[in-house]
Amino acid sequence: MSDLKTIVRDTQSYINLPLLYEHWYVAGLSEDFSREPLGRTLLEKSIVFYRTEAGDLVALQNRCLHRSFPLAESKLKGDNIVCGYHGIEYSPEGEINNVPCQTQCPSGKLRKYPTKEAGPFVFIWMGNPENADESKLPNLDYLENPNYLSFHGVKYLEGNYLLMQENLNDLTHFTFLHANTFGADNKLLDDSFLKLPLEYPEINGVTGCYRILNNAEVLKAELSPEQQAAVGDSELVNKNGGITHSPGVWLGSNVLQVKTPAPGQPESYNMYINHYLTPEKHNSCHYWYSVTADYLAPDPDVIALMQQLFSTAFEEDVYAVKHMQHLLSEDTTDYKEINIAGDKAGVQIRRKILEWAKEENPTVT
Ligand code: FES
Ligand SMILES: [Fe+2]
């Protein structure tokens, strides 16, 4: 069943929606891909990645057109890839350039996937290549600013990616699931956090969720002495939350807004906390994240401490997703769920995911 009412009330039906191909996803870190062919399964498609001699990234179907030998188990010859079974040679465009045991090349072409490198990440368009519109990519320019504190990491989810999308759109779990990490010694994340006013802005037809802390002067201590002087006596407002950009990209932010900035001084101090979810198969998912603070210098010691905290906290989400998926898959007895106030943004995302599913699947009603 995939009608809206069922999707909103029933997580099993929700995560059974078909995977969504007409979107950009992260394929990996730029540093993952080299002159050594690498196979990776994304949205149930096996893909081979390699770089040309000039360093350009190539992403082709990882299946030789002759007898399905994986091209990731093959060798490069210049910019071409030569199947390790009977030696058929393919160009970076996926065309057959040579068949060693005959003079003529048969017709046929490997599927080629559009890619785009952004900061430390490689994005891939999983749908019809003609629809690969780069304007649909998130703006991640801040990931490339060497003056900002920035780090990234990788995890793996033993569960459907939508369970994690929903986790990201729900701020109420911070106080409980992350009690020992983000919540440890943090008075801002005790029960009072759950009572803060919420904003649900709509951007490109998607609803985000942000908790608002007015009079956030307590957070001034996180700024440098120079930044604190620049803030002066201005009132501060903290907005913490995020929004689904696309099925596989969630853009989070923790922003300290200066209500009355002095002339020439920053209007806000921003931390961007993004999550990139790329289904491997239906119920498993590649998971990358990035954290960037535009008001902190890239101090390696601070980065190491923050990386440790964020990695441990995100592992708590990985743990939750794994166990929810296990119960949803393995034990269907006593299955009845309720929705609560903290689900508002998550429910909106269920609507949007269903809308996207209908757009590319005539069978989804
Ligand atoms: S399987 Fe690739 S050339 Fe035969
Ligand atoms: Fe979380």
Side-chain angles (χ1 to χ4, degrees), residues 164 167-168 173-174 177-178 182 313-314 317:
M164 190 62 200
N167 165 298
L168 295 166
H173 78 276
F174 273 46
L177 188 63
H178 300 308
F182 292 143
F314 295 156
D317 298 309

Short mmCIF file of all heavy atoms in Angstrom, two decimals, residues 164 167-168 173-174 177-178 182 313-314 317, ligand 2:
data_model
loop_
_atom_site.label_atom_id
_atom_site.label_comp_id
_atom_site.label_asym_id
_atom_site.label_seq_id
_atom_site.Cartn_x
_atom_site.Cartn_y
_atom_site.Cartn_z
N MET A 164 16.88 6.85 8.24
CA MET A 164 17.86 7.86 8.63
C MET A 164 17.39 9.26 8.24
O MET A 164 17.59 10.22 8.98
CB MET A 164 19.21 7.53 7.97
CG MET A 164 20.36 8.35 8.49
SD MET A 164 20.65 8.09 10.25
CE MET A 164 21.56 9.57 10.62
N ASN A 167 15.16 10.26 10.93
CA ASN A 167 15.94 10.57 12.13
C ASN A 167 16.47 12.01 12.05
O ASN A 167 16.42 12.77 13.01
CB ASN A 167 17.09 9.55 12.23
CG ASN A 167 18.18 9.94 13.20
OD1 ASN A 167 18.83 10.96 13.03
ND2 ASN A 167 18.40 9.12 14.21
N LEU A 168 16.96 12.40 10.88
CA LEU A 168 17.56 13.72 10.73
C LEU A 168 16.52 14.83 10.84
O LEU A 168 16.81 15.94 11.29
CB LEU A 168 18.28 13.81 9.37
CG LEU A 168 19.48 12.88 9.23
CD1 LEU A 168 19.92 12.77 7.78
CD2 LEU A 168 20.62 13.36 10.11
N HIS A 173 14.96 13.53 19.26
CA HIS A 173 15.72 12.37 19.72
C HIS A 173 17.08 12.78 20.31
O HIS A 173 17.72 11.99 20.99
CB HIS A 173 15.91 11.35 18.59
CG HIS A 173 16.98 11.70 17.59
ND1 HIS A 173 16.77 12.52 16.52
CD2 HIS A 173 18.29 11.34 17.52
CE1 HIS A 173 17.88 12.64 15.82
NE2 HIS A 173 18.83 11.95 16.40
N PHE A 174 17.49 14.04 20.07
CA PHE A 174 18.79 14.50 20.59
C PHE A 174 18.90 14.25 22.09
O PHE A 174 19.91 13.78 22.60
CB PHE A 174 18.94 16.01 20.36
CG PHE A 174 19.50 16.38 19.02
CD1 PHE A 174 19.03 15.78 17.87
CD2 PHE A 174 20.49 17.33 18.91
CE1 PHE A 174 19.53 16.12 16.63
CE2 PHE A 174 21.01 17.68 17.68
CZ PHE A 174 20.53 17.08 16.54
N LEU A 177 18.52 9.78 22.53
CA LEU A 177 19.47 8.89 21.85
C LEU A 177 20.91 9.42 21.98
O LEU A 177 21.86 8.65 22.05
CB LEU A 177 19.09 8.74 20.37
CG LEU A 177 19.87 7.71 19.58
CD1 LEU A 177 19.66 6.30 20.12
CD2 LEU A 177 19.49 7.75 18.10
N HIS A 178 21.04 10.74 22.02
CA HIS A 178 22.39 11.34 22.09
C HIS A 178 22.69 11.90 23.49
O HIS A 178 23.50 12.81 23.63
CB HIS A 178 22.52 12.45 21.05
CG HIS A 178 22.33 11.97 19.64
ND1 HIS A 178 23.02 10.90 19.12
CD2 HIS A 178 21.52 12.40 18.64
CE1 HIS A 178 22.64 10.70 17.87
NE2 HIS A 178 21.72 11.59 17.56
N PHE A 182 26.01 14.41 22.33
CA PHE A 182 25.62 15.83 22.21
C PHE A 182 24.97 16.34 23.51
O PHE A 182 25.06 17.52 23.83
CB PHE A 182 24.63 16.02 21.06
CG PHE A 182 25.23 15.78 19.69
CD1 PHE A 182 24.50 15.18 18.69
CD2 PHE A 182 26.53 16.17 19.42
CE1 PHE A 182 25.04 14.96 17.43
CE2 PHE A 182 27.09 15.96 18.16
CZ PHE A 182 26.34 15.35 17.17
N ALA A 313 28.49 10.27 18.11
CA ALA A 313 27.05 10.57 18.14
C ALA A 313 26.34 9.98 16.92
O ALA A 313 25.27 9.38 17.04
CB ALA A 313 26.85 12.08 18.18
N PHE A 314 26.94 10.11 15.74
CA PHE A 314 26.27 9.59 14.54
C PHE A 314 26.23 8.06 14.56
O PHE A 314 25.35 7.45 13.97
CB PHE A 314 26.96 10.10 13.27
CG PHE A 314 26.85 11.61 13.11
CD1 PHE A 314 27.78 12.32 12.35
CD2 PHE A 314 25.84 12.32 13.73
CE1 PHE A 314 27.68 13.70 12.21
CE2 PHE A 314 25.73 13.70 13.60
CZ PHE A 314 26.66 14.39 12.84
N ASP A 317 22.99 7.01 15.91
CA ASP A 317 21.91 6.96 14.91
C ASP A 317 22.00 5.68 14.08
O ASP A 317 20.99 5.06 13.75
CB ASP A 317 21.98 8.19 13.99
CG ASP A 317 21.80 9.48 14.76
OD1 ASP A 317 20.81 9.59 15.51
OD2 ASP A 317 22.65 10.38 14.63
FE FE B 2 20.80 11.80 15.64
#
